[in-house]
Amino acid sequence: MKGRECLNCGFIEVSGGDICRKCDAVLLEQTDGSWAKIDIAHDQETVQQAAEKLEAAVKKHMAGYTRYLRVVIGRGKIQTAIWPHLSRLLKAGKIKSFEEEPQNPGALVVTLRD
């Protein structure tokens, strides 16, 4: 069974809990500041497929320590459609923020946790 390591004390939490049983740290608030990247626009994805890939990536990286998710959205239909989708994720509390990457309107930086 895969565990989640507490960045505060090093305890491996395998029960799937949100709180470290050793030091009571909130595991979902911990991050090592890491980045991950996903491209949702350059494999002939439909808008629906791109949105599904984004949702899956957010879920996957929230289970780990990733703080920032770089999302390559291209400059076409997906770019137009994904902004409202991200707004819904923000409103639902699934992400902290998102913004266009500086000097690259074809990519976004999504902040998953503080």
Side-chain angles (χ1 to χ4, degrees), residues 43-62:
D43 281 329
Q44 305 298 319
E45 291 94 340
T46 64
V47 170
Q48 180 65 34
Q49 289 169 327
E52 289 169 0
K53 281 177 83 172
L54 176 63
E55 287 271 356
V58 167
K59 184 177 181 180
K60 173 187 171 186
H61 291 287
M62 283 300 290

Side-chain angles (χ1 to χ4, degrees), residues 4 14 27-28 56 73 99 102 104-105:
R4 182 180 176 121
V14 293
L27 297 174
L28 295 177
I73 59 173
E99 62 185 346
N104 186 0

Side-chain angles (χ1 to χ4, degrees), residues 19-109:
I19 305 292
C20 176
R21 290 183 288 151
K22 183 174 180 184
C23 71
D24 294 326
V26 180
L27 297 174
L28 295 177
E29 292 178 357
Q30 294 182 347
T31 181
D32 64 358
S34 64
W35 285 75
K37 175 190 165 208
I38 182 170
D39 186 335
I40 63 172
H42 294 100
D43 281 329
Q44 305 298 319
E45 291 94 340
T46 64
V47 170
Q48 180 65 34
Q49 289 169 327
E52 289 169 0
K53 281 177 83 172
L54 176 63
E55 287 271 356
V58 167
K59 184 177 181 180
K60 173 187 171 186
H61 291 287
M62 283 300 290
Y65 298 114
T66 306
R67 183 174 184 184
Y68 301 106
L69 183 61
R70 181 175 185 259
V71 183
V72 179
I73 59 173
R75 297 185 186 195
K77 294 184 293 185
I78 291 173
Q79 180 188 42
T80 305
I82 214 67
W83 281 87
H85 187 74
L86 283 164
S87 294
R88 287 190 293 278
L89 290 175
L90 180 64
K91 188 175 182 180
K94 293 184 178 182
I95 62 174
K96 293 290 184 182
S97 66
F98 66 95
E99 62 185 346
E100 192 173 272
E101 192 175 64
Q103 277 91 50
N104 186 0
L108 302 170
V109 175

